[in-house]
Amino acid sequence: MKKALAMMLAMIMVFSMVACAKTEPEETASDEASKAPVVVTDDAEVGLEEEEEVSIQTSGEGGGFTIAPLYFYTNKYCLKEGIDNLGYTSLGYFFFFNATGKEELNLCIASEPETIDPGLVASVDGSTYSQHQFEGLMKYVSTNTAVGDDPSLLNYQIAPGMAESYTSKTNEDGTITYTFTLRDALWSDGQPVTAADFEYAWKRIVNPETASDYGYILDGIVVNAAEIQAGEKTPDELGVVAVDEKTLDITILTECPYFIELCAFSSLMPLRQDVVEANGTAWTDPANIVVNGPYKATEWVHDSVIVMEKNANYYDVEALGPEKINWYLSDSETAILQSYKAGDFDFIETFPADEINPLKESGDCFVVPYVGTYYIYLNCENIPDWRARAAITLVIDREHLVTNVTQAGEVPATGMVAAGIQDSTKADFAAKNSEGGVPSMYKWLQENCADPLGLDLNNYEDCCELATILLEQAVADGFDVSKTLYYCYNTSDSHQVIAEAVQSDVANVLGMNMELTNQDWNVYTNGLAEGTFGVARLGWIADYNDPVTYLELFTNGNSYNYGLWVSDEYTDLIASAKALGGGAERDAILYEAEIVLFSGTMA
C-alpha cells in the first residue's frame, strides 16, 4: 500500500495517524513507526525523500453523508415445530392468517408499538399488526412455495384485496386514472366497506394536520398529493374520488412502476371516518376499533400483549387459521428467548446474536432474505462539516460488524439502497451502482480524494487513513472535535452491541467521543424528530421494490430526513425520477442520486 504523504498545514496536526487494524495500542504504535511517515516542518519534507508530495484540498461547505449505511439485513426467526403455512415477503412482513397447527398462537415480534393506526404506523411491526387487521385495495397471498430451508414458511405476493378488479386509462393531459371496483365486504361491525372509506383514508394521510410519517408516500404519484403536503392545496383536491359505493378512481401523474404494489401498503388501508373522528386517538383501542381485515384486536395490555381474534365478518373468514393471535410485547432479547425455550412463545423474531448458531443447529432458527438496510443518521446540524460525517462513515469496520457482532449472514452495506431492489432492467441496484469494485457510497471519495493519495477504499486501513485526513482538514477549518456526540438507539441488546462497535471504531481511529443513549421504541422516532442527537440508528425495510423507497427519504423536508440534510440538487433529482414512468433515463437519475447522497466538495 502506498502511504499517503501528510498534507502541509500551518498548525500542528490535532490527530496522529493510526493504523486501522484491530490491534493493541503497542502494535499500532509499532506498525505506524514501521511505515516511516512523512513529516512536514517549515515547508520542508523529511523522510521518504524519493516520494512526490501529494495532497488534497477539500471544502467543508455543502456535502452529503447524512447517513452511514452499516449492513444489508437478513431476517432471522425461531418457530416451534408443528406450526405450518406461515407467510412472508422479503419486505419483512410475516403473515399468520392461514397458519395451521394451533388454534391460539403466541408470538413476539417487537416491543410496545407507538401506534396501530394504519395511517400513523412507521415500523415493520406496526405495519404487521395493520396487515392482520385491515385489507387494502390489494393484499398479500400465498404462492405455496417455501422460503429458503423452512417448508413451514411460504412466499406471499400481491393480489387483489378489497378491489375485485381494476382498469386504467390515460387521460388527455397525460395523467392516468385507475378505476378500482370493490368486492362485497363488511367491516367488523357489519357495515359495508365502500369506496368512500378509501377516499377518506388516503386524503387523511396526505393531510399535514394528520402528521403522518408516511404523509409523503403519494407525493409525485397521485395528483395534488405533493401540493397538499406543502400546504398549497387542500386534502379534498387529492386525485382520489369515490364515484359510488363500489367504484374508486385514483388519478396519478404518470405511470408509476410500483403503484399497484403501493395499494397493499399498510398506510393506505381503508378507514371508517365516523369511527376515527368520534374517538380521536383512542379509536384504535379494542373497545372502539372497527376493521375490515381478517383479525381484530380484542385486548391490548400495554407493554404486555395485543390480542387479536378472527373477524367473523371478514369475507374469507373460512380460510383463516388460528382463532386467536397473541402478540406479546418485549424489548429484552434474552427474556424473549427464554420464553421461547420455555414453550411460552411459538414464534419470535428477535434474540441475542450469539445464540443464532446454536438455535440453527437445534432446528429452531432460520435465516431468510430481507430487503433492508441498517444505517445510522449523522445529524448535519450537530456535525455540520461533511468531512467529519464522511470520516465517521469511513472508519466503521463493517466486516467485523457482520462477522463478529450481528452474525446472521448480513453483508456490509455498499450504499443506502438495499440489495434486492431492482432497476427497470431487473438488475440489482446496489450491485450495479457499485460496479468497478468501489461501493457506491465511496465512489465520489475514491475519485476525488483517495485516488490522488494512492488509497483504495476497498481496504479498511486506507479508509481510516482518508478519514483521518478529512477530519484534520475539518478541524483546521473550525470543526470542534472535542464535542461529545450522542449516539441514540431504541432499546435492544442487538442495537446496543452495534452501537458499542461503532463507538469503539470512531474513538480508536478518530479520537471522537460518542456517548450512547437509548429510548423505548414507542417513543424513539419522536425523539429523533427533535434533532438533538449526533448519531442515531435506524433500519429501513423497502416499502416496495424500487430505489425511490430509499432515496426519497433524504429529500428536503421529508419526515424521515432526521439528519436534517438539505440539498436542492438531490431533491430535484428525486423529483425528476418520480416524474418518469420507468426506463433507462429514470435509472440513470436514481444511480446518480445515490452518488450525490455520498458526495463532498473540493476547495
Side-chain angles (χ1 to χ4, degrees), residues 254-378:
T254 187
E255 193 60 66
C256 174
Y258 53 88
F259 176 67
I260 291 301
E261 197 173 350
L262 264 185
C263 291
F265 189 53
S266 59
S267 296
L268 300 175
M269 301 297 187
L271 298 175
R272 278 271 295 282
Q273 183 174 1
D274 58 327
V275 174
V276 174
E277 297 186 357
N279 295 285
T281 58
W283 82 265
T284 56
D285 291 352
N288 302 323
I289 196 166
V290 176
V291 304
N292 74 319
Y295 287 83
K296 177 183 180 297
T298 56
E299 183 180 5
W300 185 355
V301 181
H302 292 282
D303 294 305
S304 178
V305 66
I306 298 173
V307 178
M308 294 185 190
E309 299 182 32
K310 283 182 179 179
N311 171 14
N313 283 323
Y314 182 59
Y315 67 91
D316 203 17
V317 66
E318 296 301 322
L320 300 182
E323 292 291 330
K324 181 184 292 187
I325 301 175
N326 301 313
W327 307 87
Y328 286 92
L329 310 171
S330 175
D331 58 21
S332 172
E333 295 179 350
T334 301
I336 291 169
L337 182 57
Q338 288 174 345
S339 294
Y340 175 81
K341 289 182 175 180
D344 297 330
F345 294 161
D346 301 307
F347 175 96
I348 60 174
E349 202 178 353
T350 181
F351 39 89
D354 57 7
E355 293 281 356
I356 292 174
N357 287 331
L359 287 166
K360 289 173 72 175
E361 291 172 3
S362 69
D364 287 283
C365 176
F366 297 89
V367 178
V368 291
Y370 202 12
V371 183
T373 304
Y374 190 109
Y375 62 99
I376 55 175
Y377 283 102
L378 303 171

Side-chain angles (χ1 to χ4, degrees), residues 107-125:
L107 321 172
C108 184
I109 64 170
S111 57
E112 174 80 6
E114 183 178 353
T115 180
I116 59 171
D117 181 334
L120 299 179
V121 294
S123 62
V124 174
D125 55 294

